[in-house]
């Protein structure tokens, strides 16, 4: 095998000298095709990874539940009845649906006055339970904390600030409301969280102590506004101050994300039994399955990656035509050589394997050169500090081991296809006719 490879290498060098321009152009085309497919797949991989991170900003494996309106008469009760939740429904569902890992109710109030010194803003206040830190990814910055059970029990006047709200209250950022650039901004605040924690703000004129500031996160989805613009207080404190008798929504997280549909049906059954509506009445409740949305997004991103791979693969396919062309020319020029080999006893399989290996050698020389350039380019690009909101949101091209294996597999298939038919033609040469060939 070593001798065969050394012979093939010697023949390759000899052919390269004879067809230097043609082989060089073919290797360049293969290199360019490999760069194209790797960068396109790398862009798709980077986009997939970043959007997966962004989609988890609102929470992972959760569902959001709202009350609706009945559309089916049930047990003598007419349709059109509104379904509204009370705080006790949280414990009720927890006891009736054991598959739930976490569940919590939520209050909302918009246009609430929040004041720090002379700076007053009109903001979104929500009252939640401590497990929203897990369910809704309310991660505090170092030095602070999220609302805890003692805050709930004692109805403490403590507040957890969104990072952009903190900027508007304490920093130099005086803008108000949500701007489209904030959707994917990766800005750095000009005020540190430790400078804010422990200070007081006035919410509707009532003093609240800041106990934590949210770590900045990318958030693609929302159902009541972006978390970075909210002030979060304990649900019990919210109810005591604003007097809301009804929860605005409930958020729950199953123990197994693959049981979302089963849990959803059990929620319908449990609440249907309590509020006397038909469990088959889909309008009685409204449930947003965030996990299902994540799966749909992953399918869309997979489709994008496949599409980009096909475009790059077509570019590489064109380059493989050049390899086949070179092999046909090489066979034509080496007809007498092939005939002499077969006349002295060389088998067809030897001729076939020789030309196949030559085609693979040309393919992999161009392919590995392109892979090296692609990896170097993407790694260099990662290390360049480019402040771009769009780039932060979309991610940077990333070449993974899986992409490398896919490209190597494609190169192998292309090399085999480009060399098989010329090799088949070479192995079918008649020794008598080839010796008379000029």
């Amino acid at each position: 095998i070593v001798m065969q490879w050394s012979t093939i290498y010697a023949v390759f060098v000899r052919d390269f000298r004879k067809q230097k321009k043609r082989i060089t152009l073919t290797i360049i085309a293969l290199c360019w095709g490999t760069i194209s497919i790797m960068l396109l797949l790398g862009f798709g991989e980077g986009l997939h990874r970043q959007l997966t991170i962004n989609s988890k900003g609102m929470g992972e494996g959760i569902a959001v539940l709202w009350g609706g309106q009945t559309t089916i008469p049930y047990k003598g009760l007419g349709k059109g009845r509104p379904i509204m939740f009370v705080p006790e429904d949280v414990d009720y569902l927890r006891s009736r649906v054991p598959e739930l890992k976490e569940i919590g109710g939520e209050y909302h109030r918009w246009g609430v006055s929040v004041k720090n010194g002379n700076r007053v803003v009109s903001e979104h206040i929500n009252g939640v339970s401590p497990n929203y830190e897990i369910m809704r990814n309310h991660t505090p910055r170092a030095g602070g904390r999220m609302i805890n059970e003692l805050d709930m029990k004692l109805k403490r006047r403590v507040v957890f600030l969104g990072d952009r709200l903190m900027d508007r209250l304490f920093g130099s950022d005086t803008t108000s409301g949500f701007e489209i650039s904030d959707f994917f901004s990766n800005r750095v605040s000009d005020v540190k969280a430790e400078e804010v924690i422990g200070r007081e703000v006035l919410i509707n004129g009532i003093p609240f102590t800041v106990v934590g500031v949210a770590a900045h996160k990318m958030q693609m989805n929302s159902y009541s506004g972006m978390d970075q613009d909210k002030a979060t207080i304990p649900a019990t404190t919210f109810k005591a101050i604003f007097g809301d008798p009804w929860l605005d929504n409930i958020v729950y997280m199953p123990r197994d994300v693959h049981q979302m549909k089963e849990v959803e049906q059990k929620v319908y059954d449990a609440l249907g039994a309590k509020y006397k509506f038909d469990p088959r009445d889909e309008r009685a409740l409204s449930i947003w399955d965030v996990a299902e949305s994540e799966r749909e997004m992953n399918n869309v991103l997979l489709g994008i990656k496949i599409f980009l791979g096909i475009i790059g693969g077509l570019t590489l396919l064109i380059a493989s035509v050049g390899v086949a062309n070179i092999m046909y020319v090489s066979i034509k020029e080496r007809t007498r050589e092939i005939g002499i080999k077969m006349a002295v006893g060389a088998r067809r399989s030897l001729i076939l394997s020789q030309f196949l290996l030559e085609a693979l050698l040309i393919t992999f020389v161009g392919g590995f050169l392109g892979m090296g350039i692609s990896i170097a380019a993407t790694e260099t690009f990662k290390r360049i500090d480019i402040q771009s909101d769009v780039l932060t949101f979309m991610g940077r091209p990333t070449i993974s081991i899986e992409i490398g294996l896919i490209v190597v597999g494609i190169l192998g298939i292309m090399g085999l296809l480009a060399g098989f038919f010329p090799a088949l033609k070479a192995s079918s040469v008649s020794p008598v006719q080839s010796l008379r060939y000029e």
Side-chain angles (χ1 to χ4, degrees):
I1 297 174
V2 175
M3 291 181 62
Q4 187 175 356
W5 270 105
S6 61
T7 302
I8 292 171
Y9 176 74
V11 173
F12 173 77
V13 173
R14 185 192 67 185
D15 285 349
F16 180 77
R17 289 172 179 170
K18 289 182 179 180
Q19 307 179 59
K20 186 182 297 183
K21 184 180 293 185
R22 185 181 290 113
I23 293 180
T24 300
L25 291 175
T26 301
I27 290 176
I28 291 174
L30 285 165
C31 177
W32 177 252
T34 305
I35 291 173
S36 298
I37 189 172
M38 288 203 71
L39 290 183
L40 286 171
L41 287 174
F43 174 78
E45 180 68 17
L47 177 67
H48 191 177
R49 291 187 180 185
Q50 188 61 48
L51 291 185
T52 299
I53 293 172
N54 297 347
S55 67
K56 296 177 181 179
M58 197 187 78
E60 186 177 5
I62 63 172
V64 187
L65 169 66
W66 293 272
Q69 192 174 45
T70 61
T71 58
I72 302 175
Y74 186 71
K75 292 186 178 180
L77 299 173
K79 60 182 181 180
R81 291 181 296 115
I83 304 299
M84 304 177 71
F85 304 136
V86 293
E88 292 74 22
D89 289 334
V90 173
D91 291 331
Y92 173 78
L93 285 174
R94 186 182 286 114
S95 64
R96 292 297 186 94
V97 187
E99 290 84 1
L100 292 178
K101 180 181 179 181
E102 300 286 349
I103 184 171
E106 188 170 7
Y107 297 97
H108 297 282
R109 182 66 65 92
W110 285 264
V112 178
S113 169
V114 183
K115 181 180 180 181
N116 171 46
N118 296 324
R119 187 173 295 182
V120 182
V121 294
S122 178
E123 293 301 334
H124 176 188
I125 308 297
N126 65 333
V128 303
S129 54
N131 57 4
Y132 267 63
E133 180 175 353
I134 299 172
M135 292 193 297
R136 288 279 283 99
N137 198 15
H138 280 16
T139 305
R141 293 187 186 182
R145 65 173 176 84
M146 177 56 177
I147 292 161
N148 59 30
E149 291 293 346
L150 196 57
D151 296 330
M152 291 282 288
K153 182 179 180 180
L154 300 179
K155 301 180 182 179
R156 285 174 171 170
R157 291 178 296 182
V158 294
V159 61
F160 179 81
L161 298 177
D163 56 316
R164 181 168 163 80
L165 175 56
M166 178 197 70
D167 288 343
R168 289 203 291 272
L169 286 172
F170 296 94
S172 60
D173 183 3
T174 58
T175 59
S176 177
F178 172 72
E179 298 176 2
I180 189 62
S181 60
D182 297 324
F183 184 69
F184 43 73
S185 174
N186 197 29
R187 57 186 163 66
V188 178
S189 174
D190 62 347
V191 59
K192 296 181 179 180
E194 54 264 28
E195 299 174 358
V196 175
I197 295 170
R199 296 178 63 175
E200 285 192 346
V201 296
L202 298 179
I203 298 179
N204 271 6
I206 302 172
F208 276 74
T209 302
V210 178
V211 294
V213 175
H216 182 69
K217 63 181 179 181
M218 307 291 284
Q219 183 179 346
M220 290 182 59
N221 305 319
S222 71
Y223 55 89
S224 60
M226 308 302 283
D227 292 341
Q228 62 184 357
D229 295 313
K230 296 178 183 178
T232 301
I233 65 177
T236 52
T237 308
F238 187 102
K239 184 178 180 181
I241 292 175
F242 297 103
D244 287 17
W246 313 107
L247 291 174
D248 287 280
N249 62 268
I250 293 175
V251 178
Y252 64 81
M253 174 189 290
R255 299 182 188 278
D256 184 358
V257 71
H258 300 293
Q259 292 184 331
M260 292 295 286
K261 293 302 180 184
E262 292 84 349
V263 171
E264 180 177 318
Q265 187 57 54
K266 289 190 175 183
V267 168
Y268 266 90
D269 293 339
L271 292 176
K274 179 178 180 179
Y275 289 104
K276 301 295 186 296
F277 66 80
D278 192 328
R280 297 171 298 174
D281 189 352
E282 296 182 356
R283 298 293 184 87
L285 301 175
S286 178
I287 298 180
W288 177 15
D289 185 348
V290 179
E292 178 65 25
S293 300
E294 292 175 3
R295 287 191 291 270
E296 291 176 356
M297 186 193 71
N298 286 333
N299 291 335
V300 171
L301 292 174
L302 178 61
I304 292 174
K305 289 169 67 175
I306 293 174
F307 175 72
L308 293 175
I310 290 174
I311 294 176
L314 290 175
T315 305
L316 196 57
L317 178 63
I318 295 173
S320 68
V321 174
V323 177
N325 182 50
I326 286 177
M327 298 310 299
Y328 276 118
V329 172
S330 178
I331 291 168
K332 184 177 180 181
E333 293 179 349
R334 293 159 60 186
T335 301
R336 290 178 62 86
E337 175 189 327
I338 295 169
I340 292 172
K341 286 181 178 180
M342 298 186 71
V344 297
R347 296 181 178 180
R348 291 187 60 186
S349 59
L350 177 65
I351 304 298
L352 185 68
S353 62
Q354 177 182 340
F355 282 93
L356 273 176
L357 290 173
E358 286 183 26
L360 286 171
L361 183 60
I362 295 174
T363 302
F364 280 112
V365 166
F368 284 129
L369 181 62
M371 290 178 69
I373 294 173
S374 301
I375 293 172
T378 53
E379 291 301 318
T380 302
F381 185 67
K382 285 181 182 179
R383 287 166 171 75
I384 298 176
D385 186 17
I386 302 176
Q387 298 298 328
S388 170
D389 291 339
V390 175
L391 189 61
T392 300
F393 178 73
M394 300 294 287
R396 295 171 183 253
T398 302
I399 295 178
S400 62
I401 296 176
E402 291 79 9
I403 290 177
L405 293 175
I406 290 172
V407 173
V408 169
I410 293 175
L411 286 171
I413 294 172
M414 294 295 185
L416 288 173
L417 291 176
F420 177 75
F421 295 103
L424 189 63
K425 180 180 179 181
S427 65
S428 303
V429 171
S430 170
V432 176
Q433 293 180 358
S434 63
L435 292 173
R436 294 187 301 179
Y437 181 81
E438 295 182 4

